[in-house]
């Protein structure tokens, strides 16, 4: 039996994550008191292989020792993992302002900011046990669901998912990146007026970059690095690995390199997903 405990600060996206797990076939229980977790497992034993429970600050064990004992002394055939979702204080405050909902600790705190900070402190023992940690500050609902799917499916299928992502440094580093390669040193199609309207998915930009020796060298050495170390990441029991390729704006060089790397690596790794952060944001605007 696989058990996933979903937790995190209020407003970070726990409900969205639980809904994603339900869509993956998990039997889900929202806001379960931690003390009732063993009872739940015994009551559904033999009926469900995959269970997910949401634990928030209101139903968490008061004593850290009790929390650890609850997770450690579950039935021997239960594999417990913790998915902890969080977001920046500023993001949580903005989300509460938009929804006008009451924070669960607001009645004990002077301000919303105080309640959010206190919740983080109370949840830290559970966060320390996390198998997966997600920062939803910059994620849409769709992005968060996709992140949950990647981590859970990669683990359940015992096949690490390799995510290759293009992005623009001027828009910030991707919060989910494990390894980042900087392509800003390469010739930039942006400075060719006839190429500027295109992206790295278009033939004119691709033809330009294919003719650049530095670009070919960058791709070759990056592909060699990933190919060399990918088996070691796989053996470390990871469910996913995100390799991000960045250029200035995330439109030309990083997109082309990401697509080329995916094509080169597809024969070595079965689970590859390609994302173009800035192009996807532009499309959704």
């Amino acid at each position: 039996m696989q058990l996933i405990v979903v937790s995190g600060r209020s407003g970070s996206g726990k409900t969205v994550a639980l809904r994603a797990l339900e869509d993956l076939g998990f039997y889900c229980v929202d806001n379960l008191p931690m003390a009732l977790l063993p009872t739940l497992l015994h009551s559904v034993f033999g009926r469900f292989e995959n269970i997910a429970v949401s634990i928030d600050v209101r139903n968490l064990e008061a004593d850290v020792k009790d929390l650890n004992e609850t997770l450690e002394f579950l039935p021997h055939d239960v594999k417990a993992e913790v998915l902890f979702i969080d977001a920046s204080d500023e993001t949580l405050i903005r989300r509460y302002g938009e929804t006008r909902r009451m924070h669960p600790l607001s009645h004990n705190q002077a301000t919303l900011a105080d309640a959010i900070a206190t919740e983080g402190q109370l949840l830290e023992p559970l966060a320390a046990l996390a198998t997966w940690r997600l920062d939803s500050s910059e994620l849409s609902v769709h992005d968060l669901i996709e992140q949950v799917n990647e981590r859970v499916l990669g683990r359940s299928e015992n096949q690490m998912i390799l995510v290759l992502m293009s992005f623009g440094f001027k828009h910030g580093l991707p919060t989910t990146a494990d390894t980042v390669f900087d392509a800003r040193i390469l010739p930039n199609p942006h400075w060719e007026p006839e190429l500027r309207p295109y992206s790295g998915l278009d033939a004119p930009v691709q033809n330009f970059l294919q003719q650049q020796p530095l670009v070919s060298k960058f791709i070759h050495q990056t592909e060699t690095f990933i190919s060399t170390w990918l088996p070691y990441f796989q053996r470390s029991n990871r469910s996913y690995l995100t390799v991000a390729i960045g250029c200035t704006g995330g439109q030309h060089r990083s997109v082309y390199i990401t697509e080329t790397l995916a094509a080169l690596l597809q024969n070595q790794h079965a689970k590859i997903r390609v994302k173009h952060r800035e192009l996807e944001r532009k499309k959704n605007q």
Side-chain angles (χ1 to χ4, degrees):
M1 179 187 292
Q2 182 182 18
L3 168 66
I4 295 182
V5 177
V6 181
S7 190
R9 291 197 288 178
S10 302
S12 62
K14 299 191 301 300
T15 301
V16 172
L18 200 66
R19 188 168 70 242
L21 291 172
E22 189 171 35
D23 290 342
L24 291 176
F26 280 73
Y27 176 76
C28 297
V29 179
D30 195 10
N31 288 333
L32 180 75
M34 199 70 172
L36 295 181
L37 182 56
T39 303
L40 170 69
L41 296 179
H42 285 295
S43 67
V44 301
F45 184 79
R47 296 168 54 199
F48 302 100
E49 283 299 314
N50 300 310
I51 312 291
V53 297
S54 172
I55 305 291
D56 72 13
V57 71
R58 293 167 294 183
N59 47 34
L60 190 63
E61 297 282 7
D63 193 321
V64 174
K65 182 190 295 185
D66 293 337
L67 168 65
N68 292 333
E69 288 180 353
T70 299
L71 293 178
E72 289 176 3
F73 292 99
L74 296 174
H76 69 278
D77 58 344
V78 175
K79 182 181 180 183
E81 298 171 303
V82 177
L83 169 60
F84 193 87
I85 306 174
D86 204 356
S88 68
D89 291 0
E90 294 77 11
T91 299
L92 295 177
I93 291 173
R94 174 176 54 79
R95 289 174 181 171
Y96 268 100
E98 292 171 351
T99 62
R100 299 185 180 180
R101 294 185 61 193
M102 180 74 72
H103 190 280
L105 299 182
S106 289
H107 61 284
N108 291 328
Q109 302 295 326
T111 66
L112 175 60
D114 292 337
I116 289 172
T118 300
E119 185 181 28
Q121 296 170 3
L122 294 174
L123 287 172
E124 188 52 42
L126 186 55
L129 300 175
T131 308
W132 306 289
R133 293 191 70 150
L134 285 176
D135 186 332
S136 68
S137 301
E138 301 295 329
L139 300 180
S140 66
V141 170
H142 173 77
D143 292 335
L144 179 56
I145 291 173
E146 190 173 18
Q147 291 286 328
V148 173
N149 289 345
E150 285 176 359
R151 284 150 176 77
V152 175
L153 288 176
R155 176 63 56 87
S156 63
E157 296 176 6
N158 197 29
Q159 173 67 63
M160 184 181 73
I161 295 174
L162 173 62
V163 180
L164 298 174
M165 176 189 295
S166 69
F167 74 97
F169 275 96
K170 74 177 184 179
H171 302 295
L173 286 170
T175 59
T176 57
D178 297 296
T179 301
V180 176
F181 291 93
D182 188 347
R184 289 176 293 183
I185 56 172
L186 303 177
N188 190 355
H190 176 80
W191 301 118
E192 304 294 329
E194 68 277 12
L195 297 180
R196 191 172 299 175
Y198 296 104
S199 78
L201 298 177
D202 298 315
V205 172
Q206 294 171 353
N207 293 335
F208 171 84
L209 292 172
Q210 286 169 357
Q211 298 171 19
Q212 307 299 321
L214 274 180
V215 174
S216 299
K217 185 175 183 179
F218 184 97
I219 291 172
H220 170 71
Q221 294 189 343
T222 304
E223 188 264 338
T224 299
F225 177 90
I226 296 173
S227 298
T228 299
W229 294 106
L230 197 57
Y232 294 94
F233 283 110
Q234 178 77 55
R235 291 171 200 164
S236 67
N237 201 32
R238 295 181 68 111
S239 57
Y240 67 97
L241 175 70
T242 299
V243 177
I245 313 295
C247 60
T248 304
Q251 304 293 320
H252 301 107
R253 293 166 291 182
S254 61
V255 172
Y256 168 74
I257 292 169
T258 298
E259 289 286 337
T260 305
L261 287 172
L264 292 171
L265 292 166
Q266 63 181 352
N267 293 328
Q268 303 176 40
H269 197 73
K271 298 280 187 179
I272 295 180
R273 296 190 180 181
V274 174
K275 297 181 180 180
H276 300 300
R277 189 183 73 176
E278 315 311 346
L279 294 186
E280 292 170 5
R281 287 178 173 176
K282 188 176 181 180
K283 183 174 64 174
N284 293 329
Q285 287 177 350

